[in-house]
Amino acid sequence: MKTYNHKEIEKKWQEQWKKENLYHAADDSSKPKKYVLVEFPYPSGEGLHMGHLRPFLAGDIYSRASRMNGFETLYPMGWDAFGLPAENFAIKKGVHPKISTAKNIENAKRQLQSWGTSFDWDREINTTDPEYYKWTQWIFLEFYKAGLAYEATGLINWCPKDKTGLANEEVIDGKCERCGTIVEKKEMKQWYLRITEYAEKLLEGLDSLDWPEPIKQQQRNWIGRSEGAEIDFETTYEEKTDFLILHGYTGLPEKNFIPWLKKELESKGYIVQAPELPNSNDPKEEEQVEFVLKNSHIGPNTIIIGHSLGGVVAQKVLVRYGKPISGLILIAPAIDPEFHSAVERPFWKNFTWGFDYDEIIRLTEFRTVLSDLKEEQKRGSYLKFLSEKLKAKLISGESNREHFTAPEEPIILNNVLPKIRVFTTRPDTLFGATYMVLAPEHALVTQLTTQDQKSEVTRYIAKTNEKSELERTALEKEKTGVFTGSYAINPATGQKIPIWIADYVLSTYGTGAIMAVPAHDKRDYEFAKKFELGIVKVVNDEGDRRLPYERDGRLMNSGKYNTISSATARAQMTAEFGIKKVQYKLRDWVFSRQRYWGEPIPIIHCPKCGAVPVPEEDLPVKLPEVEKYEPTGTGESPLAAIDSWVNVKCPKCGGSAKRETNTMPQWAGSSWYWIRYTDPKNDKEFASKKLQQHWTPVDIYFGGMEHTTLHLLYARFWNLFLYDQGHVTAKEPFAKRVPHGIILGPDEEKMSKSRGNVVNPDEIVEKYGADTLRMFEPFLGPHEATVSWNDQGILGVKRFLDKVWRYQRDFEEGDDNNHIHKLVQKITGDIQNFKFNTAVASFMEFLNENKEMSRENWETFLVLLAPFAPHMTEELWHQLGHKDSIHQQSWPKFDERYVRDENVTMVVQVLGRVRASMAMSAGATQEEVRAAALLDPNVKKHLEGKEIVKEIFVQDKLINFVVK
RNA sequence: ACCUGGGUGGCGGAAUUGGUAGACGCGCUGGACUUAAAAUCCAGUUUCCCGCAACGGAAGUACGGGUUCAACUCCCGUCCCGGGUACCA
């Protein structure tokens, strides 16, 4: 017998299988289907590495066994080929990503084939193929049409090295997921996908999935649902604050909302002036301004409120007064005649309409412009213009009356005395809220900051902005913060509580503001201790064994709620003081990347029509050829420099417009690829319903833990959305998920070029052959465990395969079927449970114990081994005279009769300790076993002089004598 | 800190879920074959004690307790290691 020439034999069969298209999955098969998926790789310049081997081999062994078990098995492969490495290579070497990608794909494909994998190459896909990304773009537009893709300016994560924005999920430990650079915050206009809309569905769907619990738990944590309440806290100014209300044209202090507002403010203890301005029916600027300056008190704590023309007067008064005041609130201020939509007013001629906006800003701590619904329709553009000039907060009210002419206008009071809305999971501790904290970025901060505190607050905000996100959290040491000078009213106790700002409150979660309950929250406690704020215990939680600050109990110091349980109080106090609210940690998905090598976002920006989707018939929007791939770093994609591509006609109005120049993140193409495999060449739709119906959902999805809150979350989101739109037939895309552990280098460190501990699969195939690699890799350890590569261990597997090859085949005609049937049972179960390591061990054990066997059993052995060592078994199979492929044989069945042992080893214990073991026939009765056991000299010795008080008998296993 | 997964010979790891702990492989030791080496084959290999030997005894699955006739496996507490999250109100 020749020695096994793996190079020759492996090549021979790989070519033969390809020729026969042995692994093609037929759409029209009558067999039951099985869809086995492995995460498709990024074709990098270094080729596929050991990390790819694990899931690919597991999937391959499983798929091969699945075919032999009578399933029409879909095991496809493709390329997730958009991404930074190809682009960075292009920047460095000037090679177009298309070219380097094609080359890398060719190499990776060669590798996959050299491993003897059984992928159906007829279904190969490539995310960078325009025929593929046409549909990625199409799906994006579906999101857009459903209102789930939107453009917004916000503070996003920015990688300064890759010069692109990142999604929340792509930031690991404050660093860029790809390159490890510390991420910065940057204010940018970006596309977002509204994944938060699907938070609840993504959460619910998990329950139905056959995924390992830790993965589901990790997704749950990432989505981060918490139930609680939103509660409004009224604010109150310092006692010295006073108000000056100026009425408008034809107005009087007795008209409209003014008497009501005055009364409300006075009831809260403020001094309010509402003078009657001279000649209200024919007002003149000079006369009215003079009147106010002469007859009204204005000071540093004054807030001037101007209604309609009173707003104009207010601005003039302020500039003439020339000293800082507290704030300016303009309620539907009269419209500037210069403004293009203005309708002529009789008083125009008596006023000058130039405003010194910068001066007004300088003299006020805050400015607010209020409008209601009708106002907004009629004069919206002016109000917007004015608020931008004044850097004022523009509030649009819900009132449907016009021009604030009703006797009561709650929106005014709400903005004169703004309410702070907080989210809390512990509304039962409301009585213990002794102060409030706003995030430094909170919209009310400027308005609530008093003159005295202004410099300190400004300094604190500046300091916060300097810190990167990493610094802000990683330090996590002392709490910092400053007092705004303002107070809020605790709605339960009616007490004034101070309002602080601190960076331990995040602007991105909840409402960006909290009620602080130091007695029942650790962070609030630390803060209160440091700044000497009040601590009031309101829940008697002794006896609750959970963590401090999470404990429930009976309320105390809580008025009528005293002695009520936390749970009840939560419900009752939510009803009385707020509304129920569910919050999620999940953030919307930042979807723009300022890079070249990705799917262009199919949107056209028109100065008239705004963002317009590219019409479906114009898809795909192809990537243009560029000369420079370099990201600009200014937040613009390199595409922005290609004028011929950027400048287009608006599909809606035909005017000149510009293309969106950002591209999609790498996760886009992989968020639906498994669907495309079912119908990869369809040019009418991304996949036909019929074929989706047939193949999806994926039955088993092999992949890494690192994708739990990235690809796996995104893919579920896209699928759920497409399902809701009626484009996809399976609600959840992946029925079962099988994660794998990573392979470390021989030094137990992560394999990396810089460490020089990379084991290249190509070299192993070259030296030992693919079958050895295929059996050794699983043999390293459990599929889900982290294992380290062991150079020497591979010899054991090599020896085993050599033994198989040299097995002497002058077959016995024996009928000892026990061993082979047990092996069938073991291997079948192990593959089913992804315990490939013990399967390999069982093959070895079997061969060690069966030096000779019948031809039939030998063939069974080879068939079982075929998914693991496809080349050698195929060769041996044909040497036995078979003409068909071993991979098309059906999977052996085991017979219960043979699996059960005829003879068993009975263990005899005395007081639970093994004293003898004896061979007995299976099914021996307790009496028989006892009789035999009592004859054993060693057992006798241990029973001597003792009395048997009890006897435990386990069929075919043991007998245990309990003695005294 | 929280959520997870784990801790078994010199090493990688088994153990049908409460029933002989250490399968299988590596390594190591001894032997056979060989002029020699490689390859291969055979035997041994948790620790300690007794012994010519044994299917003789004791201890042993991170540590400390507990439940049980019987615990790597179940319960309580502690310590380490890996993964995820991170001031999420």
Side-chain angles (χ1 to χ4, degrees):
Chain A
M1 172 81 38
K2 274 204 311 188
T3 54
Y4 181 67
N5 183 337
H6 62 262
K7 286 184 197 171
E8 199 178 286
I9 290 171
E10 285 174 1
K11 187 160 172 263
K12 169 175 140 193
W13 289 113
Q14 282 164 15
E15 280 169 8
Q16 180 66 21
W17 297 333
K18 199 170 169 185
K19 213 169 87 192
E20 290 176 26
N21 205 3
L22 202 61
Y23 307 117
H24 177 67
D27 290 330
D28 54 1
S29 169
S30 57
K31 297 182 206 166
K33 72 97 183 180
K34 186 80 85 179
Y35 189 171
V36 183
L37 185 66
V38 291
E39 286 164 358
F40 63 161
Y42 174 79
S44 87
E46 269 103 60
L48 302 177
H49 50 77
M50 280 297 169
H52 291 113
L53 200 65
R54 255 189 145 191
F56 292 4
L57 287 187
D60 199 63
I61 292 167
Y62 192 90
S63 296
R64 286 175 176 278
S66 160
R67 284 187 203 99
M68 295 165 92
N69 272 300
F71 291 94
E72 189 66 28
T73 303
L74 174 54
Y75 188 48
M77 182 42 68
W79 313 102
D80 189 12
F82 274 128
L84 280 178
E87 186 171 338
N88 289 338
F89 188 73
I91 291 166
K92 233 161 90 189
K93 299 277 164 80
V95 181
H96 195 290
K98 217 190 295 179
I99 294 166
S100 58
T101 298
K103 210 180 111 206
N104 295 344
I105 286 177
E106 195 188 331
N107 181 45
K109 198 166 169 180
R110 173 195 61 76
Q111 288 181 293
L112 286 179
Q113 283 170 337
S114 80
W115 301 346
T117 52
S118 63
F119 293 113
D120 177 1
W121 289 106
D122 293 348
R123 296 171 184 268
E124 180 178 358
I125 58 172
N126 177 344
T127 55
T128 66
D129 180 351
E131 288 309 301
Y132 181 90
Y133 71 67
K134 169 183 176 176
W135 297 109
T136 312
Q137 291 174 333
W138 182 86
I139 295 168
F140 175 86
L141 291 179
E142 285 294 295
F143 276 109
Y144 182 77
K145 286 172 198 160
L148 294 179
Y150 64 98
E151 225 180 348
T153 305
L155 218 50
I156 61 145
N157 299 301
W158 171 265
C159 173
K161 179 148 178 270
D162 289 339
K163 299 197 171 98
T164 183
L166 299 172
N168 232 20
E169 287 78 8
E170 291 171 300
V171 181
I172 315 281
D173 286 336
K175 294 178 193 143
C176 169
E177 183 250 351
R178 294 223 80 89
C179 68
T181 309
I182 292 178
V183 165
E184 297 170 355
K185 288 277 173 191
K186 195 163 176 170
E187 173 107 1
M188 282 180 74
K189 196 169 190 190
Q190 297 272 299
W191 283 94
Y192 290 82
L193 289 192
R194 215 181 288 279
I195 190 172
T196 50
E197 186 87 359
Y198 272 74
E200 198 58 48
K201 283 193 176 182
L202 285 166
L203 210 50
E204 276 168 16
L206 285 173
D207 296 337
S208 69
L209 298 178
D210 182 10
W211 290 16
E213 204 47 50
I215 297 190
K216 292 204 230 179
Q217 198 52 42
Q218 215 171 298
Q219 284 209 354
R220 281 189 198 109
N221 290 345
W222 188 260
I223 295 166
R225 183 183 200 274
S226 42
E227 276 179 31
E230 280 189 350
I231 299 172
D232 285 343
F233 283 62
E234 276 183 22
T235 55
T236 160
Y237 293 97
E238 294 167 286
E239 277 163 28
K240 45 189 180 180
T241 300
D242 61 277
F243 293 91
L244 173 60
I245 306 175
L246 303 178
H247 64 76
Y249 172 55
T250 71
L252 286 170
E254 293 79 38
K255 280 179 79 173
N256 304 330
F257 60 86
I258 294 176
W260 165 80
L261 180 63
K262 186 162 186 273
K263 208 175 121 212
E264 287 286 330
L265 290 170
E266 279 170 347
S267 76
K268 295 181 195 295
Y270 300 106
I271 293 166
V272 183
Q273 309 166 76
E276 180 180 340
L277 303 180
N279 293 316
S280 173
N281 290 319
D282 183 19
K284 299 185 179 59
E285 174 178 331
E286 194 53 32
E287 187 183 30
Q288 293 207 335
V289 171
E290 277 297 327
F291 179 87
V292 174
L293 286 169
K294 205 163 170 184
N295 296 298
S296 307
H297 162 80
I298 302 176
N301 299 309
T302 303
I303 293 172
I304 303 179
I305 301 170
H307 177 213
S308 190
L309 186 63
V312 176
V313 177
Q315 294 176 72
K316 294 290 179 185
V317 163
L318 177 57
V319 174
R320 280 276 289 281
Y321 172 69
K323 282 181 279 183
I325 63 161
S326 177
L328 184 64
I329 298 172
L330 304 177
I331 300 163
I335 201 158
D336 187 332
E338 294 294 308
F339 215 73
H340 57 263
S341 63
V343 181
E344 195 179 327
R345 294 286 166 192
F347 52 76
W348 277 4
K349 54 186 188 321
N350 296 332
F351 281 76
T352 56
W353 289 88
F355 296 99
D356 189 345
Y357 297 114
D358 292 340
E359 180 69 358
I360 297 171
I361 291 169
R362 196 180 68 80
L363 295 173
T364 44
E365 282 168 41
F366 72 90
R367 297 151 303 281
T368 306
V369 176
L370 285 183
S371 112
D372 54 24
L373 283 183
K374 285 236 176 90
E375 193 72 24
E376 199 182 355
Q377 285 164 16
K378 279 190 160 170
R379 291 171 268 254
S381 51
Y382 173 66
L383 296 174
K384 203 174 156 212
F385 163 84
L386 182 65
S387 59
E388 272 169 20
K389 281 287 181 192
L390 284 176
K391 292 192 180 150
K393 196 160 55 159
L394 175 62
I395 308 281
S396 254
E398 312 211 322
S399 160
N400 206 23
R401 291 180 216 100
E402 190 169 356
H403 208 57
F404 295 94
T405 48
E408 290 185 11
E409 294 281 2
I411 172 184
I412 297 176
L413 190 59
N414 283 346
N415 284 284
V416 169
L417 293 170
K419 285 182 179 158
I420 300 174
R421 177 161 292 188
V422 303
F423 172 72
T424 178
T425 52
R426 294 294 305 267
D428 53 318
T429 62
L430 181 56
F431 281 82
T434 51
Y435 64 102
M436 300 192 79
V437 187
L438 307 187
E441 300 88 350
H442 196 281
L444 285 173
V445 171
T446 33
Q447 182 168 355
L448 290 172
T449 303
T450 61
Q451 196 66 44
D452 303 345
Q453 296 299 109
K454 193 171 177 180
S455 63
E456 226 184 308
V457 167
T458 316
R459 208 170 335 120
Y460 184 76
I461 292 173
K463 223 161 69 190
T464 310
N465 288 343
E466 264 170 43
K467 288 190 224 168
S468 72
E469 189 75 352
L470 195 67
E471 286 172 308
R472 214 166 131 174
T473 55
L475 299 172
E476 203 203 304
K477 25 131 215 180
E478 285 254 333
K479 296 267 180 293
T480 58
V482 290
F483 180 41
T484 61
S486 292
Y487 293 83
I489 309 286
N490 181 323
T493 64
Q495 272 165 353
K496 262 173 84 170
I497 56 175
I499 304 169
W500 288 64
I501 64 169
D503 66 3
Y504 84 90
V505 172
L506 308 174
S507 60
T508 44
Y509 183 76
T511 61
I514 61 157
M515 63 177 213
V517 185
H520 301 282
D521 183 279
K522 189 168 175 237
R523 297 146 305 179
D524 296 345
Y525 179 80
E526 285 167 8
F527 195 80
K529 270 281 168 206
K530 179 164 173 190
F531 295 106
E532 297 179 342
L533 295 156
I535 300 172
V536 178
K537 189 169 171 178
V538 289
V539 178
N540 184 352
D541 53 15
E542 270 121 55
D544 190 331
R545 295 295 308 277
R546 282 177 296 177
L547 289 166
Y549 305 108
E550 275 182 18
R551 291 175 187 168
D552 281 356
R554 302 248 162 220
L555 298 216
M556 54 196 270
N557 296 324
S558 296
K560 65 177 177 188
Y561 291 99
N562 281 344
T563 74
I564 289 173
S565 77
S566 290
T568 313
R570 270 197 282 276
Q572 291 182 2
M573 288 168 79
T574 300
E576 181 174 350
F577 298 106
I579 50 160
K580 256 175 106 167
K581 177 80 184 178
V582 175
Q583 275 292 341
Y584 302 92
K585 288 187 201 171
L586 190 68
R587 307 284 151 78
D588 275 347
W589 178 3
V590 175
F591 203 68
S592 308
R593 297 293 177 276
Q594 292 70 43
R595 301 290 302 221
Y596 172 74
W597 193 231
E599 302 89 345
I601 292 177
I603 292 283
I604 290 167
H605 296 279
C606 169
K608 275 200 203 130
C609 315
V612 180
V614 171
E616 195 175 327
E617 60 271 21
D618 293 346
L619 296 180
V621 176
K622 285 195 194 168
L623 269 176
E625 301 290 324
V626 298
E627 272 156 33
K628 281 181 69 184
Y629 304 96
E630 213 99 16
T632 61
T634 60
E636 282 212 312
S637 139
L639 293 177
I642 320 288
D643 289 341
S644 58
W645 183 80
V646 170
N647 293 310
V648 287
K649 294 264 168 283
C650 170
K652 223 173 172 177
C653 71
S656 52
K658 284 183 187 304
R659 280 192 195 283
E660 167 69 49
T661 57
N662 283 328
T663 52
M664 299 189 199
Q666 172 140 48
W667 311 104
S670 57
S671 291
W672 69 283
Y673 76 111
W674 69 94
I675 303 170
R676 188 65 176 172
Y677 281 137
T678 66
D679 194 4
K681 304 208 166 65
N682 194 329
D683 58 0
K684 302 274 184 301
E685 47 192 338
F686 63 76
S688 79
K689 287 270 177 60
K690 193 173 156 229
L691 288 171
Q692 284 192 54
Q693 197 92 53
H694 179 64
W695 290 112
T696 63
V698 170
D699 294 289
I700 294 178
Y701 193 14
F702 291 92
M705 277 307 274
E706 70 276 16
H707 287 133
T708 301
T709 52
L710 282 162
H711 163 61
L712 238 37
L713 190 68
Y714 294 149
R716 289 187 58 226
F717 168 45
W718 280 43
N719 193 84
L720 279 168
F721 167 71
L722 291 170
Y723 177 81
D724 284 350
Q725 298 296 307
H727 298 310
V728 150
T729 57
K731 192 167 180 184
E732 284 285 343
F734 317 123
K736 188 179 178 72
R737 171 75 173 180
V738 181
H740 61 82
I742 49 175
I743 302 183
L744 304 174
D747 54 359
E748 304 205 340
E749 298 280 350
K750 233 180 194 140
M751 283 194 197
S752 75
K753 264 200 292 188
S754 58
R755 281 206 187 82
N757 63 349
V758 175
V759 181
N760 185 340
D762 283 359
E763 283 168 25
I764 306 290
V765 171
E766 168 79 17
K767 195 164 166 191
Y768 300 99
D771 286 349
T772 302
L773 178 68
R774 291 177 61 107
M775 289 198 84
F776 179 58
E777 188 285 319
F779 194 56
L780 284 169
H783 186 251
E784 68 286 354
T786 303
V787 295
S788 56
W789 185 266
N790 174 338
D791 286 309
Q792 277 158 339
I794 198 164
L795 288 173
V797 169
K798 174 93 174 92
R799 282 172 197 149
F800 164 75
L801 282 172
D802 284 343
K803 264 189 246 178
V804 173
W805 180 250
R806 289 195 310 265
Y807 191 82
Q808 45 103 4
R809 267 155 279 163
D810 38 354
F811 296 109
E812 297 289 307
E813 276 317 307
D815 55 357
D816 173 20
N817 290 326
N818 276 48
H819 284 112
I820 193 74
H821 279 262
K822 276 188 179 169
L823 185 68
V824 172
Q825 184 187 38
K826 183 77 166 67
I827 301 300
T828 306
D830 279 354
I831 292 176
Q832 213 51 244
N833 297 310
F834 317 105
K835 293 168 82 172
F836 307 112
N837 55 332
T838 51
V840 174
S842 304
F843 281 123
M844 292 172 168
E845 194 176 6
F846 176 82
L847 208 63
N848 288 345
E849 286 173 4
N850 296 274
K851 302 293 180 215
E852 49 207 33
M853 61 183 111
S854 67
R855 179 185 166 113
E856 196 188 337
N857 287 351
W858 172 245
E859 288 191 357
T860 302
F861 175 79
L862 289 180
V863 170
L864 289 175
L865 190 59
F868 295 82
H871 308 90
M872 184 186 279
T873 50
E874 183 80 304
E875 177 68 20
L876 290 173
W877 184 254
H878 282 78
Q879 282 179 14
L880 287 170
H882 293 286
K883 295 281 175 264
D884 52 353
S885 170
I886 192 167
H887 304 298
Q888 291 181 315
Q889 304 309 307
S890 39
W891 194 253
K893 301 268 175 290
F894 62 88
D895 189 328
E896 279 294 341
R897 277 180 308 159
Y898 292 117
V899 168
R900 225 174 293 122
D901 283 310
E902 284 164 35
N903 294 302
V904 293
T905 308
M906 285 299 295
V907 169
V908 186
Q909 296 182 333
V910 178
L911 269 175
R913 319 203 62 138
V914 180
R915 295 306 177 189
S917 63
M918 48 196 199
M920 300 213 60
S921 52
T925 63
Q926 184 165 354
E927 284 67 34
E928 290 163 346
V929 174
R930 182 198 304 124
L934 292 176
L935 291 177
D936 184 278
N938 201 36
V939 174
K940 261 189 200 157
K941 200 174 89 191
H942 283 92
L943 290 177
E944 207 162 319
K946 307 261 173 63
E947 182 199 346
I948 298 174
V949 288
K950 201 171 166 190
E951 201 178 292
I952 284 101
F953 177 74
V954 182
Q955 180 81 65
D956 294 344
K957 285 271 191 256
L958 61 74
I959 187 161
N960 185 8
F961 297 109
V962 185
V963 297
K964 214 165 50 180

